[in-house]
Amino acid sequence: MPSLKPWAAVVFLALAPSGCVSKSTHRKVLDELATTQGDLERCQAERDEQAAKLRATEDELNETRSARDAEAKARQQAEAQLDELQANLETTKDELAELRKQREATLKRLEAFRQLNEKFRSLVDTGKLAVQFRNGQMVLKLPAGVLFPSGKATLSKDGQAALKEIVDVLLQFKDRRFVVAGHTDNRKIRTRQFKDNWDLSTARATTIVRFMVDAGFDPKNLAAAGYGEHDPIASNDTPEGRQLNRRIEIILVPDLSELPNLTQQAQ
C-alpha cells in the first residue's frame, strides 16, 4: 500500500473497513487519496519551483538595481569630472588671456625701447646717453659730466643742449610718469651748497625735473630722487668706475596695465 501523509492517514482510519463500507468503495477512496496526494506533491513541487524562480528573479532585480546604482554613481562622478575639467579649462583660458596680455605689454615696452633707441641713436653713438631695461623699467642713463660741471647742480651749456634733445623725444610720452634719479661716486663732497653726495644728487635730479616741466611735462607725472653714492653700477676703485657711477637716470615708470595682476599673484 502507498505511503500516506499524516492527514491522509487520519482519513484512512476514518474510512477503515467496517460493516458499513464495501471493499470496492474503500479501494476507490484509497485511490482517490493517492491521486490527491500526488496532485498535492506536484503542486508543492510547482510552488517550490515558482519560489526558486521568484528568488532568482529577485536576485536578478537586485543585480540590475545595483548595476543601475553603480551606473548612476559613475555618471555622477563623470559629470563632476566634466565640471572640474570645464572649470580648469576656463581657468586655463583666463591664464592664457593674462599671458597674452603680459606678452602684448612686453612687446609694447620693447617696441617703445626700440623707438627710443632709434630716436636717441646719435646720442647713444656718441656715448652721451644709454637706453636700457633694468628691474623691468626703461632707463635713460646720462653721464653727469655731460650735464653738470663737477660738484655743481646747474646745467652746463652743453648739458642744456643734450638734455633738450632728450626731452624733445620724451615729450611724445609726456602723459607717462617719470622718475629722475641722481647718482654720484663715493668721493665725499662738502661745500656751502651741498653737505654731502645725497644733497648733490638730489639737487641735480630736481634740476632735470624742472627742465622737463619747463619743456611741457605735467609736474604730477614727475618725481626727483637722490641716491648719492649708494646705488653704484660699477666699482668705485677705478676712475672709469667712478665716472660710470656719476650719472643721471630718467626712468619711465610702467603703467599698472602693463604689469601682471599683483593681487592675483598674491592669492
Side-chain angles (χ1 to χ4, degrees), residues 151-215:
K152 304 294 184 183
T154 302
L155 287 167
S156 66
K157 186 175 180 180
D158 291 340
Q160 291 181 26
L163 188 57
K164 185 177 185 307
E165 288 186 64
I166 295 170
V167 170
D168 286 345
V169 175
L170 291 181
L171 279 171
Q172 301 176 47
F173 304 89
K174 68 178 182 179
D175 293 332
R176 303 291 296 273
R177 296 180 62 242
F178 293 89
V179 173
V180 180
H183 300 267
T184 68
D185 59 26
N186 66 345
R187 295 290 180 90
K188 302 300 182 181
I189 182 174
R190 187 175 182 85
T191 66
R192 290 182 179 180
Q193 188 176 6
F194 308 112
K195 67 177 184 179
D196 55 28
N197 287 332
W198 256 330
D199 270 356
L200 176 61
S201 63
T202 303
R204 286 178 170 179
T206 303
T207 297
I208 302 298
V209 166
R210 295 188 187 281
F211 190 95
M212 295 174 71
V213 171
D214 291 341

Side-chain angles (χ1 to χ4, degrees), residues 69-245:
D69 293 343
E71 181 181 355
K73 184 177 181 180
R75 183 170 61 252
Q76 291 175 353
Q77 292 176 345
E79 290 175 352
Q81 291 176 353
L82 181 60
D83 292 340
E84 183 179 358
L85 289 174
Q86 185 67 31
N88 291 338
L89 178 60
E90 294 300 325
T91 300
T92 301
K93 288 181 179 178
D94 293 341
E95 291 174 348
L96 181 59
E98 182 63 25
L99 288 174
R100 287 175 175 169
K101 182 178 178 181
Q102 293 178 25
R103 180 177 180 273
E104 290 174 358
T106 300
L107 292 176
K108 183 178 179 180
R109 290 196 300 272
L110 291 175
E111 178 60 20
F113 175 73
R114 187 190 66 79
Q115 291 178 6
L116 283 178
N117 261 334
E118 289 298 322
K119 294 180 182 297
F120 291 137
R121 176 60 60 189
S122 60
L123 291 173
V124 172
D125 290 343
T126 58
K128 296 179 180 179
L129 175 69
V131 184
Q132 58 187 214
F133 271 113
R134 189 168 70 246
N135 299 326
Q137 296 177 317
M138 186 181 298
V139 179
L140 306 182
K141 185 176 67 175
L142 300 85
V146 173
L147 302 175
F148 300 99
S150 178
K152 304 294 184 183
T154 302
L155 287 167
S156 66
K157 186 175 180 180
D158 291 340
Q160 291 181 26
L163 188 57
K164 185 177 185 307
E165 288 186 64
I166 295 170
V167 170
D168 286 345
V169 175
L170 291 181
L171 279 171
Q172 301 176 47
F173 304 89
K174 68 178 182 179
D175 293 332
R176 303 291 296 273
R177 296 180 62 242
F178 293 89
V179 173
V180 180
H183 300 267
T184 68
D185 59 26
N186 66 345
R187 295 290 180 90
K188 302 300 182 181
I189 182 174
R190 187 175 182 85
T191 66
R192 290 182 179 180
Q193 188 176 6
F194 308 112
K195 67 177 184 179
D196 55 28
N197 287 332
W198 256 330
D199 270 356
L200 176 61
S201 63
T202 303
R204 286 178 170 179
T206 303
T207 297
I208 302 298
V209 166
R210 295 188 187 281
F211 190 95
M212 295 174 71
V213 171
D214 291 341
F217 285 85
D218 188 340
K220 293 184 295 185
N221 291 336
L222 299 174
Y227 288 84
E229 70 269 25
H230 302 293
D231 186 25
I233 57 174
S235 171
N236 281 301
D237 295 334
T238 64
E240 294 79 14
R242 290 192 294 273
Q243 182 179 3
L244 290 174
N245 289 331

Side-chain angles (χ1 to χ4, degrees), residues 243-263:
Q243 182 179 3
L244 290 174
N245 289 331
R246 296 190 297 270
R247 68 196 189 277
I248 297 293
E249 294 180 342
I250 302 177
I251 303 167
L252 177 61
V253 180
D255 288 341
L256 291 178
S257 60
E258 295 176 346
L259 298 175
N261 191 318
L262 300 180
T263 301

